[in-house]
Amino acid sequence: MNPLLQKLQPYPFERLRQLFGGVTPNPAYRPISLGIGEPKHATPDFIKRALSEDLDTGLMGYPPTAGEPALKQAIAEWLARRYGVAVDAATQVLPVNGSREALFALTQTVVDGRKPGALVLCPNPFYQIYEGAALLAGAEPWYVPSDPARNFAVDWDSVPPEVWARTQLIFTCSPGNPTGAVMPLDEWEKLFELSDRYGFVIASDECYSEIYFREQPPLGGLEAAAKLGRTDFRRLIALTSLSKRSNVPGMRSGFVAGDARIIKDFLLYRTYHGSAMSHVVQMASIAAWNDETHVVENRNLYRQKFAAVTPLLAPVLDVALPDAAFYLWAGVGGSDTDFARDLYALYNVVVLPGSYLAREACGINPGAGRVRMALVAETAECVEAAERIVQFVKSRN
């Protein structure tokens, strides 16, 4: 067996299952889960129709790994509408089976694990795929702390020069998971300058880009590069998916876009990896990328939900409306694991301990004392969960 597999840590939801082992939740309450960030809003009918209409012929042949030209063109046109950037659909866009698969596979393409001391940088707290992808590529993850004083923005200035010198890849996540923080242009400029100096690749995870609460949409990595005159997107790859934007997590559809040289190498890897997107999924994806009406409606549902839930929780927890994404990152004033376990036992509500989404670095775990709440269910259910949390906190106090 690959010895690197032994370096992988249990996934947060496995740790949550272990935490709840032996706990019987209060039967007086129906179960409500705010634990997993899985969209629960209805999938638009027109996407389901596009999927089903291709079934007669779409399953009869192997799909090309590079993707259908029509899908790549639809993605390029969406990037132009959303971010005002121009990409070559043929050489700078590649469909992928969701952002998780692409984040992992891209790391295997970019990282040269044969080099001693190879590092992959990621925010802390973070999406655990970043860590696993780095370890299985033969590199070591290096955890960059988030600054609570700046709405949990990543503190890139805390990274020493000797760490940058060993870095081959960095993951950015904007809007962030779990914090919802959005990177401004000056942070992107800083990272681009460091990439030019040290030669590392930037993987910009943007799967929450279409769920935001202010009028200005979040800045994307390609958009930032274009604003700074880097129209070749050198050493930059943006990754996103339809899961959150269009409520189709089961379709596993997304794309990567950016540096044509990296895209070419990534395509070669994927040819052997065997990860071509099904033709029927590609046809449904074209329909989804070409429509914005359902995205606006979806965003408004989240805005209404957060407007209803956040004021309920703010008086009893350290929590505020995030910049974007569909999580509340709440301080609980004590042990996050005790909070999650006792809340589940007494009120049958599931939240995820923040310490499970981070690693101890420099002597601290930046997720400790916080919980992540995924407001993915319908508004009434999220409000009911919030009301139970308020009762729980008041009873503890």
Side-chain angles (χ1 to χ4, degrees), residues 149-160:
R150 295 190 297 128
N151 195 23
F152 295 93
V154 181
D155 186 8
W156 302 109
D157 290 335
S158 68
V159 181

Side-chain angles (χ1 to χ4, degrees), residues 274-349:
S275 52
M277 184 188 295
S278 164
H279 192 274
V280 295
V281 173
Q282 291 195 59
M283 295 303 102
S285 300
I286 292 172
W289 289 118
N290 282 340
D291 181 80
E292 288 298 318
T293 300
H294 77 287
V295 183
V296 174
E297 294 171 351
N298 187 48
R299 184 161 53 244
N300 285 337
L301 287 176
Y302 282 111
R303 286 179 169 178
Q304 294 165 15
K305 191 184 312 183
F306 274 74
V309 169
T310 308
L312 291 174
L313 296 174
V316 298
L317 297 175
D318 177 15
V319 67
L321 186 71
D323 293 334
F326 51 43
Y327 302 114
L328 285 177
W329 183 236
V332 299
S335 168
D336 53 303
T337 52
D338 288 353
F339 184 96
R341 186 189 60 245
D342 294 347
L343 175 65
Y344 175 63
L346 297 173
Y347 287 91
N348 212 348
V349 174

Side-chain angles (χ1 to χ4, degrees), residues 33-357:
S33 178
L34 307 180
I36 299 179
E38 181 180 64
K40 297 298 184 184
H41 296 169
T43 299
D45 288 338
F46 76 92
I47 297 178
K48 292 187 284 187
R49 286 196 301 271
L51 190 74
S52 62
E53 287 171 358
D54 192 56
L55 288 174
D56 286 344
T57 58
L59 300 178
M60 296 176 63
Y62 291 116
T65 304
E68 294 291 343
L71 173 57
K72 297 171 76 171
Q73 186 60 38
I75 292 168
E77 291 173 358
W78 179 78
L79 286 168
R81 293 193 304 271
R82 171 63 173 84
Y83 296 112
V85 299
V87 298
D88 184 332
T91 63
Q92 293 181 302
V93 172
L94 190 61
V96 296
N97 295 313
S99 56
R100 179 194 295 211
E101 176 264 322
L103 287 163
F104 180 86
L106 178 68
T107 307
Q108 314 315 304
T109 302
V110 168
V111 171
D112 182 357
R114 300 169 302 170
K115 290 187 176 180
L119 294 177
V120 173
L121 271 58
C122 68
N124 196 23
F126 62 97
Y127 181 40
Q128 194 158 325
I129 296 301
Y130 307 157
E131 178 187 70
L135 292 169
L136 289 175
E140 289 295 325
W142 203 93
Y143 307 103
V144 187
S146 300
D147 184 359
R150 295 190 297 128
N151 195 23
F152 295 93
V154 181
D155 186 8
W156 302 109
D157 290 335
S158 68
V159 181
E162 60 269 22
V163 170
W164 287 122
R166 294 162 50 199
T167 299
Q168 297 189 17
L169 172 69
I170 72 168
F171 288 108
T172 65
C173 186
S174 179
N177 172 11
T179 68
V182 172
M183 284 177 54
L185 186 61
D186 61 340
E187 285 191 30
W188 281 109
E189 185 172 22
K190 182 183 305 179
L191 291 184
F192 292 146
E193 291 173 352
L194 289 163
S195 174
D196 288 343
R197 189 183 315 167
Y198 296 105
F200 58 76
V201 172
I202 302 172
S204 177
D205 182 354
E206 302 175 6
C207 67
Y208 298 97
S209 67
E210 304 312 289
I211 301 171
Y212 51 90
F213 304 103
R214 293 162 179 84
E215 290 309 309
Q216 184 67 28
L219 180 70
L222 300 181
E223 181 184 16
K227 287 179 180 292
L228 296 169
R230 303 171 66 92
T231 53
D232 59 352
F233 309 122
R234 57 190 176 277
R235 292 184 298 277
L236 172 64
I237 295 292
L239 309 94
T240 193
S241 81
L242 289 170
S243 296
K244 282 79 173 176
R245 174 188 183 273
S246 299
N247 299 311
V248 287
M251 261 180 37
R252 311 309 302 143
S253 175
F255 69 84
V256 301
D259 187 325
R261 178 186 59 82
I262 298 175
I263 294 288
K264 181 180 179 181
D265 290 342
F266 192 32
L267 175 58
L268 174 63
Y269 177 90
R270 295 176 68 77
T271 301
Y272 284 85
H273 184 45
S275 52
M277 184 188 295
S278 164
H279 192 274
V280 295
V281 173
Q282 291 195 59
M283 295 303 102
S285 300
I286 292 172
W289 289 118
N290 282 340
D291 181 80
E292 288 298 318
T293 300
H294 77 287
V295 183
V296 174
E297 294 171 351
N298 187 48
R299 184 161 53 244
N300 285 337
L301 287 176
Y302 282 111
R303 286 179 169 178
Q304 294 165 15
K305 191 184 312 183
F306 274 74
V309 169
T310 308
L312 291 174
L313 296 174
V316 298
L317 297 175
D318 177 15
V319 67
L321 186 71
D323 293 334
F326 51 43
Y327 302 114
L328 285 177
W329 183 236
V332 299
S335 168
D336 53 303
T337 52
D338 288 353
F339 184 96
R341 186 189 60 245
D342 294 347
L343 175 65
Y344 175 63
L346 297 173
Y347 287 91
N348 212 348
V349 174
V350 175
V351 297
L352 191 63
S355 58
Y356 291 1
L357 296 165

